[in-house]
Amino acid sequence: MADNDLKGEFLEIVRSAFERSEKLRIEGSGTKSFYGNPVVATPLDVSRHSGIVSYEPSELVITARAGTRLSEINARLAESRQMLGFEPPWFGGQATLGGTIACGLSGPRRPYAGSARDFVLGVSCISGKGEYLAFGGQVIKNVAGYDVSRLMVGALGALGVICEVSLKVLPQPEVETTRVLEFDKETARAQMVRICKLPLPLSGMSFWGGLLRIRLSGTENGVRAAEQTIGGETDETGVEYWHQLREHELNFFNRNQSLWRLSVPATAPVLGLGDDCLLDWGGALRWIYTDHAPQTVFQTAKKMGGHATMFRPDNGWPNGRFSALDEPSKGIHMRLKSAFDPKGILNPGILYAYV
Amino acid sequence: MESATQDVQIRDQLATELLSIVGADAVVTDNEALRPFECDGLTAYRELPLMVVLPASIAEVRKVLKTCSRLGIPVVTRGAGTGLSGGALPNPDGVLLSLTRMKRILSVDADAKTARVEPGVTNLAISEAVKHLGLYYAPDPSSQIACSIGGNVAENSGGVHCLKYGLTVHNILELKVVTVDGELLTVGSEALDSPGFDLLALMTGSEGMLGVVVEVLVKLLSIPPVAQVVMAAFDSVERAGEAVAAVIGGGILPAGLEMMDSYAISAVEDFVKAGYPVDAAAILLCELDGHAAEVEEQIARVETIFNSQGATGTWVAKDRATRDRFWSGRKAAFPAVGRISPDYYCIDGTIPRRQLGKVLVEISKLSNEFGLRVANVFHAGDGNLHPLILYDANNAGELELTEELGNRILELCVEVGGTVTGEHGVGVEKLRPMCLQFEDAVLEQFHQVKAALDPNSLLNPGKAVPTLARCAEFGAMHVHRGQLPHSDLERF
Ligand SMILES: Cc1cc2nc3c(=O)[nH]c(=O)nc-3n(C[C@H](O)[C@H](O)[C@H](O)COP(=O)(O)OP(=O)(O)OC[C@H]3O[C@@H](n4cnc5c(N)ncnc54)[C@H](O)[C@@H]3O)c2cc1C
């Protein structure tokens, strides 16, 4: 993918859309177009705005344009034995950095290394008023001004067209290995909670199909010692498993049924939504297929201390995708939306009808 | 005259109403009793508030804010008052809301590795309360025995261990926040993410401008079984800087990586006898933690890297006592400098690490130009530089000169691609350098974020983000700096 700076072009598009109150649907390469409420509006393709702007391995910082493919970023980082710490899902080889940050999704490493927003240092974007705004910066510690960069993560483009992102990156672990142990679901969940309390170099814990998999990352000696503590056996297919989990390529995900994502405290017991469930993030992320009504799923997630997302609906999903906000949060969402996008032209309704 | 009477009336009404909310012993109006609240850790700025209110519960905070909102009274929240940018500087027409009475640890969940605490709990108290469970709260500002968790959230504070363990924003899960009109808002949750915008990130580091943090759910980490420190001496700061880059470029993520220059070293050595090599131009302290086997391996590698980068000596702390002694010097750096100078002024810029050599050379030039000594203490791992300017406030004009030097150093940080504040916040102190760092449109957007949460600007008004008018004034001063006024008129 060639280096391509199109921010001037985008600025004009957003400005004229602002003047004409024309709604825009911001698009990367479409790998995550299933995510969020559908938006009916004029497409704005940001996937051609691409290229790594700067990368200094010894600073642990990379800056790239929104349309840069994750594949390009990963390859570049790998040359210096570094990586994106939050292990973002791609859901297709063309996944872009902008889409990744707008969705704010993080992979299996998230509980141990941090989330997409944790690694964001700076975001430059175009607001709904057609202004180019650079928030944050390229240094790891920076508290000047409100943390709008991180506010953009997971906002699904509703606050601005993300043009450029600076991320903190991490060194690749020297050694990575996976242990596998057999358990039933409740025992596995309890085990994950127990293991998480031990000072171990954990980098993934997932349970599916009667097997608990634990990934360890660190130095040779550190990982070997942790293997002893954990027991079980080495999973020779570990590398593949974590990849397929991240990419939703495991058999579990291969179904024509709406997929729920529940983000809950790892300590919350499995609550009656049926047994069709895969656990990631040491039990804090639960992928579920269920025939229960959406309201029941949302309420159950809330009771468990978290929230639910209709992640990948089977066709014709008529309901909202995200857990409802309470009144005070709703008010703040509306006011923040209009602070960045007063005419509501950027991805209108993608999160909630009112933003 | 009329408005003065009105002021007195409002003040009396306010005092009466607040008294009925929090009780007589929790409202301070007497000038002498107000004195201790007149400044935070940035003592050059002082102001007396109308009154101080010390609520003891969320319900009381809500009522206080409702009352102040209704009467249009500004509110400045204060934690422990250790802030270094004047964030908790009182507003002369407003209420100072002190949260020191809200200092209970509400619950600890060892399984979930979380603690729910009131905002006035000190940073260190959290780690102490969970130590018996093998857990601790990772961010460790040097002020941790005194500063409050509410203040930490408001400043997004860091510490010597944040390269590996992150800042406050990375170590909290949920906040309860009272909005300016007294509503109770919950942001974040016990889960790892939440629906909607990331208000948890927005609130963190917002310097008391967007709401009052009244409860914090913090993440706890398992205490690493082993931590070790290696110290290295270098004969130039540039070399020390390159050694830092070599460690990080070499794939090692130390728990802490700190640098001090020769001036800081000798101040510290005189004070705490940490065993630092006083003839070095710079020292590095590098801490590694984790499993014993892992730490041993990495310490050896770091030592090798330091040696290959030209260290003139390296020392591995073999036991706990030596390690504590090495750190005691770093942690005492500010007070140590405080001993050798009547006053000192702590700057807080962050720079891309590769610019360190250049920036230190420039700082030393500026130091000569201004005739003020500067000692440098540096969170080298994450590029956060703390030049300490030594001055004497009793010498006429020296404070102003010091502030000017501070501004010049921050300009330099921005010039090389850094930021004007890494962890101490903007407060009232860095309004001017904020104008340098951000475009007008961004500053304007910040004001709109503020207005979305606090439309009448009653929370900490005038701080954290400069008005564009102020930036214009500063800009004017800028152009004239170093020149005679109206020098352009000489042509006539
Ligand atoms: C010797 C020394 C060493 C220091 N070392 C470090 C360091 O290593 N790292 C670092 O990051 N900082 C450091 N600091 C700065 C300071 O300790 C931190 O900024 C700290 O987080 C401030 O906490 P506090 O409770 O004292 O807050 P205060 O000073 O009382 O308030 C700071 C700001 O937060 C707001 N605020 C306070 N509580 C709340 C609340 N509950 N809700 C909303 N707003 C609130 C105030 O309005 C103000 O704007 C140091 C300070 C000193 C004096």
Side-chain angles (χ1 to χ4, degrees):
Chain A
M1 200 65 202
D3 271 19
N4 219 351
D5 186 351
L6 299 178
K7 108 182 156 224
E9 193 179 297
F10 297 165
L11 258 173
E12 270 176 39
I13 294 174
V14 179
R15 273 182 197 149
S16 99
F18 174 70
E19 267 153 35
R20 292 180 289 128
S21 299
E22 180 190 10
K23 296 184 180 357
L24 297 173
R25 187 177 77 227
I26 310 161
E27 291 182 346
S29 49
T31 55
K32 286 172 270 293
S33 55
F34 59 84
Y35 184 64
N37 295 310
V39 175
V40 187
T42 313
L44 168 58
D45 175 13
V46 292
S47 70
R48 290 174 305 121
H49 179 61
S50 64
I52 292 169
V53 179
S54 67
Y55 170 45
E56 283 289 336
S58 75
E59 302 279 342
L60 297 178
V61 177
I62 191 165
T63 300
R65 299 196 184 97
T68 315
R69 303 298 188 261
L70 290 185
S71 54
E72 183 183 343
I73 293 176
N74 275 12
R76 187 68 176 278
L77 294 176
E79 285 169 17
S80 302
R81 295 195 47 80
Q82 295 186 339
M83 63 178 191
L84 294 179
F86 57 105
E87 206 178 4
W90 298 22
F91 299 136
Q94 295 298 313
T96 63
L97 176 62
T100 299
I101 295 307
C103 292
L105 300 170
S106 309
R109 209 178 293 272
R110 188 261 173 263
Y112 318 99
S115 66
R117 79 96 138 113
D118 288 343
F119 286 94
V120 165
L121 303 175
V123 167
S124 300
C125 63
I126 300 173
S127 73
K129 292 168 280 186
E131 289 175 322
Y132 189 78
L133 304 170
F135 297 104
Q138 301 186 15
V139 285
I140 290 171
K141 264 165 105 181
N142 183 0
V143 294
Y146 303 120
D147 198 345
V148 176
S149 309
R150 292 197 173 100
L151 182 65
M152 292 289 161
V153 184
L156 285 173
L159 297 175
V161 182
I162 296 175
C163 290
E164 211 172 281
V165 182
S166 294
L167 292 171
K168 180 184 172 187
V169 299
L170 289 183
Q172 285 178 2
E174 263 167 49
V175 178
E176 203 155 83
T177 152
T178 302
R179 304 302 282 179
V180 59
L181 303 100
E182 253 179 84
F183 288 112
D184 65 73
K185 191 182 296 163
E186 261 313 299
T187 318
R189 212 188 41 76
Q191 282 296 327
M192 289 195 275
V193 169
R194 183 188 70 84
I195 289 167
C196 194
K197 286 196 281 184
L198 305 173
L200 296 172
L202 298 171
S203 64
M205 275 207 277
S206 159
F207 176 80
W208 176 55
L211 296 178
L212 170 60
R213 286 187 175 79
I214 299 170
R215 185 171 60 181
L216 301 163
S217 306
T219 64
E220 179 76 33
N221 291 342
V223 167
R224 296 298 159 241
E227 284 182 323
Q228 298 285 310
T229 314
I230 285 173
E233 287 164 22
T234 303
D235 180 4
E236 303 297 346
T237 62
V239 174
E240 221 177 311
Y241 177 81
W242 297 108
H243 176 85
Q244 293 184 336
L245 170 61
R246 188 193 81 192
E247 292 304 311
H248 285 192
E249 286 167 3
L250 293 171
N251 272 340
F252 173 83
F253 295 102
N254 187 16
R255 273 205 245 164
N256 294 327
Q257 198 181 343
S258 296
L259 176 67
W260 284 98
R261 174 190 190 271
L262 266 69
S263 174
V264 294
T267 48
V270 178
L271 274 190
L273 290 174
D275 224 17
D276 213 353
C277 170
L278 181 151
L279 306 182
D280 193 4
W281 293 4
L285 184 65
R286 306 182 188 185
W287 299 101
I288 295 179
Y289 295 107
T290 175
D291 292 329
H292 282 282
Q295 271 330 305
T296 313
V297 181
F298 285 128
Q299 276 162 15
T300 307
K302 191 172 177 187
K303 256 186 250 153
M304 293 164 85
H307 66 106
T309 307
M310 171 34 68
F311 190 75
R312 203 193 284 261
D314 204 19
N315 52 36
W317 184 261
N319 305 286
R321 308 277 176 96
F322 301 101
S323 284
L325 301 177
D326 60 15
E327 282 306 312
S329 297
K330 189 173 162 182
I332 288 172
H333 273 68
M334 289 163 75
R335 293 197 298 275
L336 277 175
K337 170 74 174 174
S338 67
F340 284 89
D341 179 18
K343 290 191 174 173
I345 60 169
L346 301 179
N347 280 353
I350 193 162
L351 273 169
Y352 297 99
Y354 49 85
V355 290
Chain B
M1 188 64 211
E2 212 173 85
S3 97
T5 336
Q6 248 173 12
D7 282 355
V8 173
Q9 270 174 10
I10 289 182
R11 188 189 150 137
D12 289 349
Q13 186 189 347
L14 181 69
T16 315
E17 289 199 31
L18 295 183
L19 228 113
S20 75
I21 298 168
V22 294
D25 59 337
V27 179
V28 182
T29 48
D30 175 69
N31 265 2
E32 269 324 292
L34 288 175
R35 271 299 151 215
F37 298 96
E38 69 182 349
C39 65
D40 61 9
L42 181 71
T43 51
Y45 295 77
R46 289 164 200 264
E47 197 81 72
L48 286 183
L50 273 187
M51 60 195 76
V52 176
V53 187
L54 298 109
S57 68
I58 293 179
E60 288 183 3
V61 173
R62 295 184 64 183
K63 286 184 196 156
V64 168
L65 279 158
K66 279 199 174 118
T67 304
C68 291
S69 259
R70 178 163 41 79
L71 299 173
I73 303 287
V75 177
V76 174
T77 308
R78 179 184 168 103
T82 67
L84 291 173
S85 54
L89 178 74
N91 185 301
D93 304 316
V95 162
L96 187 77
L97 185 71
S98 165
L99 297 178
T100 46
R101 287 173 73 201
M102 294 177 70
K103 54 166 192 277
R104 283 176 306 160
I105 293 180
L106 300 168
S107 62
V108 174
D109 185 337
D111 280 347
K113 299 212 286 186
T114 59
R116 192 172 280 283
V117 303
E118 291 188 327
V121 173
T122 63
N123 172 296
L124 190 61
I126 300 175
S127 289
E128 278 174 351
V130 298
K131 195 171 169 187
H132 67 286
L133 299 167
L135 300 171
Y136 75 114
Y137 174 66
D140 57 341
S142 308
S143 51
Q144 69 184 145
I145 48 166
C147 64
S148 73
I149 189 71
N152 290 176
V153 171
E155 300 286 8
N156 192 15
S157 295
V160 295
H161 290 104
C162 58
L163 178 63
K164 182 167 176 188
Y165 296 109
L167 307 160
T168 305
V169 70
H170 303 111
N171 289 279
I172 55 177
L173 283 169
E174 183 194 292
L175 296 176
K176 289 212 167 99
V177 178
V178 175
T179 62
V180 67
D181 45 12
E183 278 204 271
L184 186 62
L185 178 74
T186 303
V187 300
S189 72
E190 289 172 39
L192 289 175
D193 50 33
S194 299
F197 300 145
D198 200 329
L199 300 180
L200 187 65
L202 180 65
M203 281 294 165
T204 310
S206 66
E207 301 195 18
M209 304 285 291
L210 305 180
V212 179
V213 176
V214 290
E215 199 176 289
V216 188
L217 182 68
V218 300
K219 270 192 228 173
L220 303 171
L221 298 183
S222 306
I223 299 174
V226 175
Q228 276 213 3
V229 179
V230 53
M231 174 167 70
F234 292 86
D235 57 12
S236 82
V237 282
E238 285 86 350
R239 245 192 219 129
E242 281 156 21
V244 170
V247 168
I248 290 171
I252 297 169
L253 199 61
L257 186 50
E258 297 286 311
M259 186 193 291
M260 278 185 268
D261 73 0
S262 62
Y263 203 41
I265 297 168
S266 47
V268 161
E269 213 30 44
D270 285 348
F271 183 32
V272 290
K273 305 269 178 299
Y276 293 167
V278 284
D279 51 348
I283 59 164
L284 292 177
L285 285 172
C286 181
E287 178 164 299
L288 292 145
D289 66 6
H291 192 277
E294 185 161 12
V295 172
E296 200 180 311
E297 223 175 326
Q298 292 200 319
I299 282 280
R301 276 178 48 201
V302 168
E303 213 180 348
T304 312
I305 293 175
F306 283 163
N307 284 323
S308 69
Q309 294 291 323
T312 55
T314 57
W315 298 264
V316 177
K318 293 251 157 40
D319 48 47
R320 175 82 206 222
T322 318
R323 183 184 138 220
D324 287 350
R325 187 159 51 77
F326 282 179
W327 276 122
S328 73
R330 170 57 188 88
K331 293 215 166 177
F334 291 11
V337 168
R339 267 177 84 240
I340 57 171
S341 170
D343 299 285
Y344 71 92
Y345 184 46
C346 175
I347 311 298
D348 172 44
T350 303
I351 54 171
R353 253 184 277 98
R354 63 182 178 280
Q355 303 282 5
L356 180 66
K358 174 178 169 182
V359 169
L360 289 181
V361 168
E362 285 300 315
I363 290 180
S364 105
K365 275 192 210 155
L366 286 169
S367 161
N368 289 334
E369 183 188 326
F370 280 77
L372 292 167
R373 292 175 301 170
V374 178
N376 286 296
V377 181
F378 188 41
H379 299 301
D382 41 35
N384 188 196
L385 190 60
H386 289 318
L388 303 170
I389 305 174
L390 281 60
Y391 73 103
D392 185 348
N394 288 327
N395 295 343
E398 209 163 296
L399 172 63
E400 291 71 21
L401 202 62
T402 302
E403 286 184 325
E404 183 57 27
L405 173 55
N407 275 319
R408 293 281 288 277
I409 294 174
L410 292 180
E411 275 175 32
L412 184 62
C413 293
V414 174
E415 248 167 58
V416 300
T419 174
V420 299
T421 172
E423 58 180 12
H424 295 164
V426 175
V428 290
E429 183 205 19
K430 289 173 212 96
L431 287 170
R432 176 173 157 191
M434 280 290 281
C435 305
L436 282 173
Q437 185 168 337
F438 293 104
E439 305 272 335
D440 286 1
V442 174
L443 295 174
E444 193 47 45
Q445 189 63 61
F446 286 150
H447 287 300
Q448 288 176 19
V449 168
K450 162 89 169 157
L453 281 106
D454 177 19
N456 299 317
S457 199
L458 290 179
L459 296 175
N460 232 349
K463 296 188 193 160
V465 184
T467 60
L468 298 188
R470 266 198 98 174
C471 286
E473 277 169 40
F474 289 143
M477 284 163 42
H478 227 63
V479 174
H480 291 151
R481 190 185 56 217
Q483 296 176 10
L484 288 173
H486 309 296
S487 58
D488 53 335
L489 298 181
E490 286 169 10
R491 275 175 283 140
F492 293 98

